[in-house]
Amino acid sequence: MGSTEPKRTRRKDMLGLRGVSRAEITQILDTAARIRAVNRRRVKKVPTLRGRTVVSAFFENSTRTRMSFDLAAKRLSADVLGFSASSSSTRKGETLMDTARNIDAWRPDALIIRHPCAGAPHMLAKAFPWSVINAGDGIHEHPTQALLDMLTMRDHLGNLEGRRVAIVGDILHSRVARSNIFGLRTMGAQVVVAGPGTMCPKQLESLGVEVRHRIDEVVEDADVIMMLRIQRERLGRAMMTGVAEYAGLYGLDIDRLRRAHPEVLVMHPGPINRGVEMTPDVADGDRSVVLEQVSNGLAVRMALLYLLLGEEGGDARAS
Amino acid sequence: MRVQAERPVVLRGVRWICPASGRRGDGDIFIVDGRIAESRPGDARVVDARGLTLLPHFVEVAAHLGDPGYLWREDLVSGSAAGAMGGFGLVVATPDTDPVIDRGALLGDLQARASGVTGAEVRFAGALTVGLKGEELAEIGSLVDAGAVALSDGGQAIADGLVLRRALDYSRPFGLPVLLRPGEPLLEADGVVHEGAVALEVGLRGIPAAAEEIGVGRAIALARQTGARVHLNAISTAQSVAQVRDARQQGVRVTASAPARALLLTDADVDHSDYDTSLRLVPPLRPELDRLALVDAVRRGDICLTSAHLPLSRVEKEHEFERAMPGAAGLETAFAAALTALDGDIEAVGRALAVGPAELLGRRPRLEAGAVANLVLVDSEATIQAAQPAASRGVNEPLAGRSLRGRVVGTMVAGRWVYSSIGA
């Protein structure tokens, strides 16, 4: 990182939004906004990454993010190799580094990795010359999710500066929340988080956010209400009291939505637990922009691949 | 203790410090027949020690040597050599081996093999419980008979208060120090770094300071209850330091050590190093305020220091941060780490690395005529470039690449150099 030409992204990897500049986030969002046009044509393909190889390695279940990345690479004409933990040698006890060494033998241009451990993408990025894109590392970051969230917000709100974004749910264990907090703060937005004391401790203030413990305290001033998924099966012991109580204190229903700003955006990284984070009428209502998030996700991932690997974006291996 | 017939040695012009008695001086020190002598011997090997400092050699009460079961990490020979290089004349091995050192026959066998090492003397701590499982008491009597110099939970904090109490009651008559890791396993859960602002930034699960403090509290209360002699290995927070100090003021027989590297490193270093697994440690690195409290406690003589030596191979460290085995090599850099953190206060370092740990094991390290020559010669003004271990097999030295102050020039056990960089 560190180029004398401000136009070109010289970064090798996209590991997280912490420390990424406002100028660079803006560049990625602008590129995504332009590249969207490809996805509206009849022939949804451009030759930008023809002959380049993109490997996607998902060590955690995910159908949609994975498909989104795969499709993004394919629309840019790259060759795509998919790799999922269940069918791979990790079952045979192969370490991540050894798996990566094997992948390296094919000389890929980029690896998209989702992994249950924070820092896994960083370990590979340090050791190998190809670009690494973090599709989610443990509870740490999920930068492309936050980028697509910010693009969606920007589409509706214009500018993110001074906007108030509320994030509700298990903030502590959410990589979506973390990346959004880093990115939104860089873009000048205010972030307020709400959740149970076990999932949303006051200590989160050290990230530069306000901390509340009831959704009612955050709906009224918010420009955006982002609801996070509660995954009961992934919570540790004694983290929450029950789905009914959770929905009562933290769920977004029509009555709460009515108290919010009439133009408020309702967002969710998906998939939605209907009746827990949101009632169906909110999820399907006219404030919800969840499906736009999905299509923006594809555009953001295309933009990132273009910026990291495309001719204009610079060759990460050049040296 | 081996007192051999070696050629007499004269350390010429050395500055010597005896932290136990508070005495110090400059001049020539004579070593004859393995002891410090009153008068200059004839036919001596003269070592020009001007500009160097002489202390009692350092003592490590809890180093992980991988024999039996983990020989790729370390063995008695490499561990002994690493100790000697670091200025340690005595290294006590922890019992967390495979199999665990929970029976006298195994300890006796290891001790017999250890008598052949040529670096630091190697002794052994016996396990308190069978297999270090924290359930049944190990054959403590037979471990003592076989030569154990301490008893230990091997880093597996005994969470069951009743078992811990019984272990302390049973072992007390044998008079050996009991080494305990202060912890609360259920609360530590799957944490890997200190629970605080840095954990939030890097997205790693945190270990709350309270877990260590509960463990410290439990150990102190039971030491008070049973009259046992307990040594906390190791503490890392300001609050733990305060608890230990208060307990000692009340006459509880508790001592504690901190890892030497914890005097220099904080949790922020995990962040800056980009998930470097040599910083994956138990206890975890804590924030700056805790680091400062540890430095202060060492300065005041409230706690001693340990190298917390846990050498690991690439196989064990080349993993994602949370999956890497915790631990770092430390015998070779502990002295320089401590001297750097204490701004050259060599007497405090001597107290913390040499005297405290030695006294814990019932030794009386003295620099005086007639005393056994268990010494370390250091250059306290030299700057070294810390590197991956030279003698230890471990590849996990977190201080590698740093400039540190203080170099071990020679280590002497009973009058014989077990390490020397000056051709002595």
Side-chain angles (χ1 to χ4, degrees):
Chain A
M1 255 295 276
S3 164
T4 51
E5 294 171 273
K7 270 187 282 193
R8 300 166 60 165
T9 313
R10 282 289 182 195
R11 68 168 48 246
K12 168 182 172 290
D13 314 292
M14 173 47 76
L15 303 175
L17 291 188
R18 185 171 170 231
V20 176
S21 71
R22 189 187 279 223
E24 198 176 345
I25 292 178
T26 304
Q27 179 192 35
I28 297 169
L29 299 184
D30 289 345
T31 307
R34 280 199 307 274
I35 232 170
R36 277 195 281 223
V38 175
N39 299 331
R40 292 187 202 115
R41 298 179 193 158
R42 191 174 77 84
V43 175
K44 301 175 183 62
K45 209 142 179 104
V46 289
T48 320
L49 297 188
R50 188 169 55 193
R52 310 302 288 281
T53 303
V54 174
V55 177
S56 82
F58 276 61
F59 296 87
E60 262 186 356
N61 279 339
S62 150
T63 319
R64 293 133 41 107
T65 304
R66 207 199 161 147
M67 284 175 68
S68 181
F69 267 110
D70 283 3
L71 191 56
K74 284 176 172 158
R75 289 209 171 153
L76 295 171
S77 301
D79 291 333
V80 180
L81 287 167
F83 173 111
S84 66
S86 51
S87 63
S88 78
S89 348
T90 51
R91 268 273 171 90
K92 301 174 198 165
E94 190 178 48
T95 64
L96 178 59
M97 278 300 281
D98 279 341
T99 301
R101 287 185 184 108
N102 277 279
I103 291 171
D104 182 55
W106 299 327
R107 293 183 56 88
D109 296 284
L111 177 79
I112 298 157
I113 174 171
R114 171 172 282 192
H115 196 282
C117 295
H122 304 63
M123 183 172 85
L124 300 187
K126 264 194 266 191
F128 297 100
W130 17 269
S131 294
V132 176
I133 298 179
N134 182 7
D137 63 325
I139 62 172
H140 178 226
E141 287 227 43
H142 189 358
T144 59
Q145 179 69 42
L147 286 165
L148 72 88
D149 288 338
M150 287 189 286
L151 180 59
T152 311
M153 292 180 213
R154 201 178 76 160
D155 284 343
H156 288 267
L157 304 172
N159 199 346
L160 293 174
E161 176 89 50
R163 296 298 183 172
R164 197 165 164 81
V165 177
I167 309 178
V168 181
D170 183 358
I171 312 295
L172 193 55
H173 302 109
S174 168
R175 53 194 176 210
V176 171
R178 224 175 294 274
S179 287
N180 266 293
I181 288 169
F182 294 141
L184 286 166
R185 296 212 54 233
T186 300
M187 301 306 283
Q190 285 171 25
V191 179
V192 57
V193 296
T198 48
M199 302 174 179
C200 192
K202 199 125 168 60
Q203 171 112 73
L204 285 168
E205 283 172 355
S206 72
L207 294 178
V209 303
E210 292 170 45
V211 175
R212 300 278 184 276
H213 296 294
R214 305 228 165 179
I215 192 173
D216 293 313
E217 295 176 62
V218 304
V219 289
E220 288 170 17
D221 314 330
D223 295 303
V224 178
I225 304 172
M226 182 183 299
M227 306 301 298
L228 299 178
R229 200 168 122 73
I230 287 296
Q231 300 161 284
R232 292 213 75 188
E233 70 282 2
R234 288 170 71 148
L235 295 176
R237 283 196 304 151
M239 284 289 287
M240 70 187 257
T241 60
V243 164
E245 180 161 298
Y246 183 86
L249 292 167
Y250 304 102
L252 188 60
D253 58 22
I254 275 291
D255 291 324
R256 286 180 168 138
L257 194 53
R258 276 200 194 105
R259 295 203 329 262
H261 192 281
E263 304 286 301
V264 77
L265 298 180
V266 172
M267 299 177 69
H268 192 298
I272 299 171
N273 279 329
R274 284 155 182 270
V276 181
E277 298 101 46
M278 299 186 207
T279 51
D281 47 4
V282 168
D284 303 326
D286 61 1
R287 298 282 90 230
S288 163
V289 292
V290 168
L291 296 175
E292 284 176 47
Q293 286 175 270
V294 176
S295 71
N296 284 333
L298 180 56
V300 154
R301 288 159 185 144
M302 287 169 73
L304 206 47
L305 283 166
Y306 168 76
L307 287 168
L308 291 178
L309 301 182
E311 296 273 302
E312 285 278 312
D315 184 358
R317 298 184 81 126
S319 58
Chain B
M1 210 165 316
R2 330 183 282 267
V3 180
Q4 311 178 345
E6 291 261 334
R7 194 168 160 205
V9 173
V10 170
L11 298 173
R12 191 154 71 91
V14 74
R15 173 173 75 136
W16 57 269
I17 301 174
C18 179
S21 64
R23 292 171 54 240
R24 38 163 82 211
D26 277 283
D28 297 352
I29 297 286
F30 318 118
I31 293 131
V32 179
D33 286 340
R35 293 182 187 269
I36 298 175
E38 281 267 348
S39 49
R40 179 177 297 274
D43 186 35
R45 194 88 142 304
V46 177
V47 173
D48 183 357
R50 287 170 298 174
L52 302 180
T53 307
L54 189 71
L55 293 162
H57 68 52
F58 311 135
V59 170
E60 176 53 67
V61 305
H64 296 255
L65 304 186
D67 194 344
Y70 302 111
L71 295 174
W72 65 85
R73 292 179 191 167
E74 199 80 287
D75 59 29
L76 301 182
V77 172
S78 61
S80 166
M85 248 184 110
F88 293 86
L90 169 61
V91 173
V92 179
T94 57
D96 58 337
T97 46
D98 182 16
V100 165
I101 307 174
D102 59 7
R103 27 190 71 192
L106 176 55
L107 195 147
D109 189 59
L110 284 165
Q111 190 63 74
R113 284 199 284 114
S115 63
V117 299
T118 53
E121 190 187 345
V122 174
R123 302 297 299 267
F124 298 87
L128 280 169
T129 62
V130 173
L132 292 174
K133 292 205 173 89
E135 292 162 10
E136 299 296 323
L137 296 185
E139 290 173 17
I140 289 170
S142 86
L143 287 165
V144 174
D145 276 348
V149 297
L151 297 164
S152 164
D153 66 5
Q156 306 296 315
I158 299 174
D160 185 328
L162 181 64
V163 170
L164 181 56
R165 190 259 164 87
R166 296 268 156 87
L168 294 178
D169 275 335
Y170 191 91
S171 56
R172 188 171 163 249
F174 295 98
L176 294 184
V178 175
L179 311 178
L180 299 176
R181 177 179 85 80
E184 174 46 61
L186 292 176
L187 189 52
E188 288 156 28
D190 45 8
V192 295
V193 291
H194 168 75
E195 180 184 292
V198 168
L200 291 177
E201 297 267 351
V202 299
L204 287 168
R205 289 180 163 80
I207 303 172
E212 176 178 302
E213 288 145 21
I214 289 171
V216 171
R218 181 191 298 127
I220 287 172
L222 287 177
R224 186 186 285 115
Q225 184 79 44
T226 61
R229 198 153 62 94
V230 163
H231 180 76
L232 297 169
N233 182 57
I235 61 171
S236 64
T237 76
Q239 182 62 27
S240 293
V241 167
Q243 284 178 238
V244 168
R245 193 178 47 235
D246 290 346
R248 286 166 62 74
Q249 273 165 11
Q250 294 165 18
V252 178
R253 298 162 83 205
V254 62
T255 50
S257 51
R261 70 182 72 86
L263 301 180
L264 285 180
L265 302 171
T266 64
D267 59 351
D269 288 299
V270 175
D271 190 6
H272 301 144
S273 76
D274 223 15
Y275 303 94
D276 181 351
T277 58
S278 62
L279 297 176
R280 166 88 167 95
L281 300 165
V282 169
L285 295 170
R286 303 287 183 185
E288 180 69 357
L289 283 180
D290 293 299
R291 183 189 76 81
L292 292 172
L294 294 178
V295 171
D296 182 62
V298 170
R299 230 184 231 120
R300 293 170 187 237
D302 287 343
I303 64 174
C304 34
L305 288 173
T306 170
S307 66
H309 183 73
L310 206 169
L312 292 168
S313 68
R314 207 178 71 155
V315 167
E316 286 142 331
K317 281 301 201 183
E318 197 182 62
H319 289 280
E320 309 86 329
F321 193 89
E322 63 201 68
R323 288 187 182 162
M325 185 153 293
L331 280 171
E332 295 172 39
T333 53
F335 166 65
L339 193 65
T340 305
L342 285 151
D343 283 319
D345 185 348
I346 188 92
E347 187 161 350
V349 171
R351 249 199 324 270
L353 273 179
V355 176
E359 287 178 350
L360 183 65
L361 299 173
R363 297 181 164 210
R364 273 185 90 251
R366 293 285 185 281
L367 255 58
E368 62 196 17
V372 179
N374 285 334
L375 307 165
V376 64
L377 194 58
V378 302
D379 183 346
S380 62
E381 301 304 318
T383 304
I384 63 162
Q385 207 56 30
Q388 288 301 334
S392 164
R393 294 219 168 109
V395 299
N396 52 335
E397 170 56 75
L399 298 172
R402 288 185 187 235
S403 274
L404 299 174
R405 175 176 173 178
R407 189 165 60 90
V408 172
V409 170
T411 308
M412 177 183 272
V413 173
R416 184 174 65 84
W417 293 110
V418 295
Y419 168 73
S420 164
S421 66
I422 49 171

